[in-house]
Amino acid sequence: MSHSGGAERSAGEYGELEELRNRLSALESAGPPQAARHHPFRSAGSVLLILFAALLSLLSVVAVWTNSIVQDTGRYVATVGPLAGDPEVQKAVANRVTAAVLAQVDVHALVKELSDAASQKGVPPRVAELLGTLDEPIESGLKQLVSSTAERVVTSSTFERVWVNGNRAAHTALDKALTGQADGTVSLENDQVAIDVAPIVAQVREQLVSAGFPPAAKIPDVHTDFVVFESKDIGEVKTYLRVLEILGGWLPVIALLTAAAGVYVAFNRRHALIGAAVAVFVAMLVLGVSLTVVRDIYLDRLPSGTSQPAAGAVYDALVKFLRAGVRALAAVALFTAVGAFLVGPSRLAFLTRTGCRRSIAALRDVAVSAGLRLGAVGRFVHRSKRWIGVTIILVAAIVLFTWSYPTTMVVVWTAVITLVGFAVLEFLDVGATPPADSRADGAAH
């Protein structure tokens, strides 16, 4: 009876038997429950370390984003560059330029000049008198002309080049602005970070002259600012950003070491790892919600007359990569928690592992039947399976930790490749199937 049972065992059943043996070995090595597990200080220390690590992870994401904006010119340009094509920003810049140009045009003087010219040409006095009342119509028409010209400039490729090149050249000044040493094209005055759009005004002036408005040639070089960021608390924000800029390179390492310490001092390290991953995930969730709340508060506190849609577009652009970092770290935490759960002894985890092993074993049996011979490779994988698995995890962790700006897709693909690596490892493990001679033996009986 035992012989027939051995003959009917499938490769998947051998994998399940191996899993049961591993679980039994783990339970035996654990021994009976120990009184030391009730030490409150050790448990409390683990919890505090994990919570502190979650807080540090939140600050780490903000610090890395701060460094990317302040120190990385390419990253900054990639952040603000697309704003040149944003309709709300274009509209706000056009309005600002229009106001700056109109402020340099004396409509009353133009009307007087027109009246004088009409008088010299012998126009009847009544007509000359009527020309003197055209201030408002001329001003309205001039405003429409300047506005349409400004809109054409800011919606052209010329504006995009001016915007990108200006921001690239201004990045050093932006760094100084955020650290309180502003000069050049970016200023930090009146609680504002503003960019001088004088080149846009010059473009509008040239367009007006080309459109048949000669008086525009008399408009001097006008230095007017387009406000990128404005807040009453910018001095305080500047201080926080400076601190995060200094700590940016170290906070992720400190957060990781703190989390590792919290897991190490815990009695059940697998549970602690799951708890740490969940805590980081919650921290990212809180940070994501906070960014939305801060956006609403920031827009509500803008001075009257400021374009809220344009300010919202600027805010969204500046925090775009911060949101990407939040989502990426949340994905890492989620995958870590799921992975730590699936290696545990719960029934769901056991059934999941067993199902995967059976499926891989069935695929391996098909390949072996087709002539595949694993030989020495399979035996080596079986002997070194644990260390190869650890290596796969370490490589995945190194890739994520050294990637400059990992996105959610980077995390997802890293997780997928890691799972594929473990699947290949399981496929090559010949120890997961019974030896050929024992199969033949069972079949003979």
Side-chain angles (χ1 to χ4, degrees), residues 177-210:
L178 293 178
T179 56
Q181 304 171 0
D183 61 7
T185 57
V186 177
S187 61
L188 184 57
E189 299 176 355
N190 301 321
D191 298 327
Q192 296 177 343
V193 174
I195 296 178
D196 186 3
V197 292
I200 310 302
V201 177
Q203 288 280 337
V204 172
R205 179 179 60 197
E206 295 176 6
Q207 293 267 354
L208 289 173
V209 174
S210 301

Side-chain angles (χ1 to χ4, degrees), residues 408-424:
T408 306
M409 290 308 301
V410 170
V411 175
V412 170
W413 278 110
T414 302
V416 170
I417 295 173
T418 301
L419 291 176
V420 171
F422 277 104
V424 173

Side-chain angles (χ1 to χ4, degrees), residues 277-320:
V278 171
V280 172
F281 180 83
V282 172
M284 294 303 101
L285 183 63
V286 170
L287 180 55
V289 173
S290 299
L291 290 176
T292 302
V293 173
V294 169
R295 183 184 190 276
D296 293 336
I297 295 175
Y298 166 64
L299 295 180
D300 288 340
R301 292 185 178 182
L302 289 175
S304 59
T306 303
S307 172
Q308 286 201 355
V314 172
Y315 179 90
D316 292 337
L318 289 175
V319 302
K320 174 183 176 181

Side-chain angles (χ1 to χ4, degrees), residues 102-174:
L102 290 177
Q104 302 299 320
V105 179
D106 190 344
V107 177
H108 181 71
L110 288 176
V111 172
K112 186 177 185 303
E113 183 178 345
L114 179 61
S115 300
D116 294 342
S119 298
Q120 293 176 1
K121 294 292 184 178
V123 175
R126 178 59 180 165
V127 175
E129 183 180 348
L130 290 175
L131 289 176
T133 63
L134 295 179
D135 289 50
E136 291 186 4
I138 290 178
E139 184 176 2
S140 177
L142 180 60
K143 182 177 181 180
Q144 184 176 359
L145 174 63
V146 174
S147 178
S148 61
T149 303
E151 288 177 3
R152 284 199 303 271
V153 172
V154 300
T155 55
S156 67
S157 58
T158 301
F159 172 65
E160 184 176 353
R161 289 195 299 271
V162 170
W163 178 267
V164 172
N165 293 336
N167 276 283
R168 187 182 299 278
H171 182 260
T172 300
L174 177 63

